[in-house]
């Protein structure tokens, strides 16, 4: 399963030795890579999220989402660490040079600030989208998923061995397969949470859409009424102009009618601008619906992969039980054979002693 989505792009990469804190002692470092690997910052434009990702072959050894409350700490000239509360662990990186460590720390601070600004902007837009009483006169609605694309960075780094390398032994075996399998339900829960959040936003936007649609219908009726009134007033003005005996009263009525016509025309222009804004909002809502469909499809694919992994694990467990049963039967057969051999040896020993006694008596 890929560690990145289609909307994610690497924006900065370097190379380092990767470590994780020992979950038991919370003091010792455990190496998760045998050599220096690529460590990259990724930006997800669809969710406006920054992540640190590192792969050792096909295994994701770092998958950390940057949040505004994270802190990257330099513990030596070539080693730095940060805590990820979501993953319930502490990651450590050993670099080959002090420059690479400083550059990584600089990027961490930069993307952490960008994540903070994106979060604040998203919250503000969510509040605007969910508070109709605070909308602008034009009825504008802001999408809470408007991304801010960051600048691309050049990839740099080195494959040299880091000076600071904690001592620890890794344990290969079935535990790695179990760990990879355990990530699938976590990904499923993650996509389910994303889908639930999107459903909530979709419900709010749908309510706003229904209200805006009702307003559009009302404004269309008002527009038709204003047009009829304007035509009637134009006809009235024409009739008054055609009258031969004009009086000051008629002239005053004409002036008032002309002013009323101008006011109606200004109102019509305002309503047309509001309708254009509503059309733009409808287009934004259609984009959100497409994002919802995409997330739903990804969730279904994740669930399908999860079921396939569960079936594979069940098959592996069944084969393991069969192998253990065969080994147990083989050990039982060996014990039975040993017991038979012990009996035969004992009988041969008794036969030898009997023959020796007979030889002695015969002599």
């Amino acid at each position: 399963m890929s560690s990145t989505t289609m909307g994610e792009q690497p924006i900065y990469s370097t190379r380092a030795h990767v470590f994780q804190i020992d979950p038991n002692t919370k003091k010792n470092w455990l190496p998760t890579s045998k050599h220096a690997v690529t460590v990259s910052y990724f930006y997800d434009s669809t969710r406006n999220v920054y992540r640190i990702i590192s792969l050792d072959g096909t295994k994701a050894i770092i998958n950390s989402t940057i949040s505004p409350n994270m802190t990257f700490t330099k513990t030596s000239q070539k080693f730095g660490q940060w805590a990820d509360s979501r993953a319930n662990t502490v990651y450590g990186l050993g670099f080959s040079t002090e420059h690479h460590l400083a550059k990584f720390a600089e990027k961490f601070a930069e993307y952490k600030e960008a994540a903070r600004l994106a979060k604040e902007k998203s919250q503000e837009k969510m509040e605007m989208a969910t508070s109709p009483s605070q909308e602008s006169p034009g009825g504008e609605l802001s999408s809470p998923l408007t991304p801010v694309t960051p600048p691309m960075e050049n990839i740099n780094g080195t494959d040299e061995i880091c000076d600071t390398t904690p001592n620890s032994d890794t344990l290969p075996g079935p535990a790695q397969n179990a760990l990879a399998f355990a990530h699938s339900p976590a990904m499923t829960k993650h996509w389910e949470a994303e889908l639930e959040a999107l459903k909530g936003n979709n419900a709010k936007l749908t309510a706003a859409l229904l209200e805006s649609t009702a307003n559009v219908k009302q404004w269309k009726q008002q527009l038709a009424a204003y047009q009829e009134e304007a035509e009637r007033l134009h006809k009235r003005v024409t009739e008054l102009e055609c009258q031969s005996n004009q009086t000051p009263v008629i002239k005053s009525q004409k002036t008032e009618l002309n002013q009323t016509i101008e006011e109606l025309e200004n109102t019509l222009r305002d309503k047309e601008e509001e309708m254009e804004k509503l059309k733009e909002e409808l287009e934004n809502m259609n984009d959100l619906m497409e994002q919802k469909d995409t997330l739903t499809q990804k969730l279904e694919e994740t669930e399908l992969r999860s079921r396939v992994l569960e079936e594979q694990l069940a098959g592996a467990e069944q084969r393991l039980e069969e192998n253990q049963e065969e080994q147990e039967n083989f050990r039982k057969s060996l014990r039975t054979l040993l017991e038979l051999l012990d009996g035969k040896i004992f009988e041969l020993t008794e036969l030898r002693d009997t023959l020796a006694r007979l030889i002695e008596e015969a002599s």
Side-chain angles (χ1 to χ4, degrees):
M1 188 183 300
S2 176
S3 299
T4 60
T5 63
M6 296 178 63
E8 282 188 312
Q9 296 295 332
I11 52 180
Y12 175 77
S13 297
T14 186
R15 294 183 67 83
H17 291 265
V18 180
F19 303 88
Q20 283 190 19
I21 201 70
D22 189 339
N24 298 322
T25 63
K26 299 295 184 180
K27 295 181 180 179
N28 300 326
W29 288 104
L30 300 177
T32 56
S33 62
K34 297 180 180 179
H35 50 78
V37 295
T38 300
V39 182
S40 303
Y41 286 100
F42 277 78
Y43 175 69
D44 187 349
S45 59
T46 59
R47 295 187 299 135
N48 210 6
V49 170
Y50 295 85
R51 290 200 297 167
I52 302 174
I53 295 176
S54 179
L55 299 177
D56 188 5
T58 59
K59 177 183 177 183
I61 56 178
I62 297 180
N63 187 358
S64 178
T65 301
I66 299 177
S67 62
N69 59 347
M70 282 186 178
T71 302
F72 184 81
T73 305
K74 299 179 184 178
T75 57
S76 67
Q77 292 183 349
K78 299 180 182 180
F79 194 85
Q81 66 184 50
W82 77 96
D84 189 340
S85 58
R86 294 183 180 179
N88 193 24
T89 188
V90 179
Y91 293 103
L93 295 179
F95 296 87
S96 59
T97 65
E98 186 176 356
H99 170 73
H100 290 145
L101 172 59
K103 187 69 173 178
F104 187 89
E106 176 185 344
K107 294 299 178 183
F108 191 98
E110 176 183 344
Y111 300 141
K112 170 185 171 182
E113 178 66 15
R116 184 186 66 81
L117 295 176
K119 183 177 180 181
E120 291 179 355
K121 186 175 181 181
S122 177
Q123 290 176 349
E124 291 176 359
K125 292 184 178 181
M126 286 290 293
E127 291 175 358
M128 293 176 62
T130 55
S131 302
S133 61
Q134 298 178 358
E135 292 180 357
S136 62
E140 294 182 354
L141 292 175
S142 299
S143 171
L145 299 177
T146 303
V148 179
T149 304
M152 293 294 292
E153 297 287 345
N154 293 329
I155 297 178
N156 55 35
T158 182
D159 197 14
E160 298 177 358
I161 297 177
C162 168
D163 294 338
T164 305
T165 305
N167 294 324
S168 179
D169 295 329
T170 57
L171 297 176
Q176 294 181 351
N177 296 330
L179 179 60
F181 174 75
H183 287 172
S184 180
M187 290 294 295
T188 301
K189 292 180 180 178
H190 171 73
W191 284 116
E192 288 176 350
E194 290 290 335
L195 182 59
E196 289 299 325
L198 191 58
K199 284 181 178 178
N201 294 338
N202 182 53
K204 296 173 183 177
L205 292 174
T206 302
L209 175 61
L210 294 175
E211 182 180 356
S212 300
T213 304
N215 291 334
V216 169
K217 293 180 180 178
Q218 182 180 1
W219 290 334
K220 285 182 178 179
Q221 294 175 356
Q222 293 178 356
L223 179 60
Y226 290 150
Q227 289 175 343
E228 292 177 357
E229 181 69 11
E231 291 176 358
R232 188 184 66 81
L233 292 174
H234 276 297
K235 290 179 181 179
R236 179 61 178 168
V237 169
T238 303
E239 291 173 358
L240 291 174
E241 288 177 347
C242 293
Q243 292 179 359
S244 58
N245 297 323
Q246 295 183 349
T247 62
V249 176
I250 294 176
K251 290 182 179 180
S252 176
Q253 291 179 351
K254 178 182 177 181
T255 302
E256 292 176 358
L257 289 174
N258 288 331
Q259 292 177 353
T260 304
I261 290 172
E262 290 177 358
E263 292 176 357
L264 289 174
E265 288 176 349
N266 292 331
T267 303
L268 285 174
R269 285 193 294 269
D270 294 338
K271 295 300 181 182
E272 288 175 353
E273 291 177 359
E274 291 177 358
M275 290 181 65
E276 291 296 328
K277 292 177 180 178
L278 285 174
K279 288 180 181 178
E280 294 177 359
E281 292 172 5
L282 288 174
E283 293 176 356
N284 292 334
M285 290 179 184
N286 290 333
D287 294 337
L288 290 175
M289 293 296 294
E290 292 178 359
Q291 292 179 2
K292 174 194 169 185
D293 294 338
T294 301
L295 281 176
T296 303
Q297 182 179 1
K298 289 180 179 179
L299 178 61
E300 291 174 354
E301 293 175 355
T302 303
E303 291 175 347
L304 178 61
R305 293 192 186 101
S306 177
R307 287 194 294 270
V308 171
L309 288 174
E310 288 175 355
E311 292 175 358
Q312 292 177 353
L313 181 61
E317 291 176 348
Q318 183 177 0
R319 290 193 296 271
L320 179 60
E321 291 176 357
E322 291 175 355
N323 290 335
Q324 290 177 346
E325 185 177 354
E326 290 176 358
Q327 290 178 0
E328 185 64 24
N329 293 333
F330 181 72
R331 284 194 292 268
K332 289 180 180 179
S333 300
L334 285 178
R335 284 195 294 269
T336 304
L337 182 60
L338 287 174
E339 291 174 359
L340 290 174
L341 286 174
D342 290 339
K344 294 299 182 180
I345 292 172
F346 179 77
E347 291 176 359
L348 288 173
T349 303
E350 288 182 345
L351 179 61
R352 176 183 175 282
D353 294 338
T354 302
L355 290 175
R357 287 195 301 270
L358 290 175
I359 291 171
E360 288 176 358
E361 290 174 359
S363 60

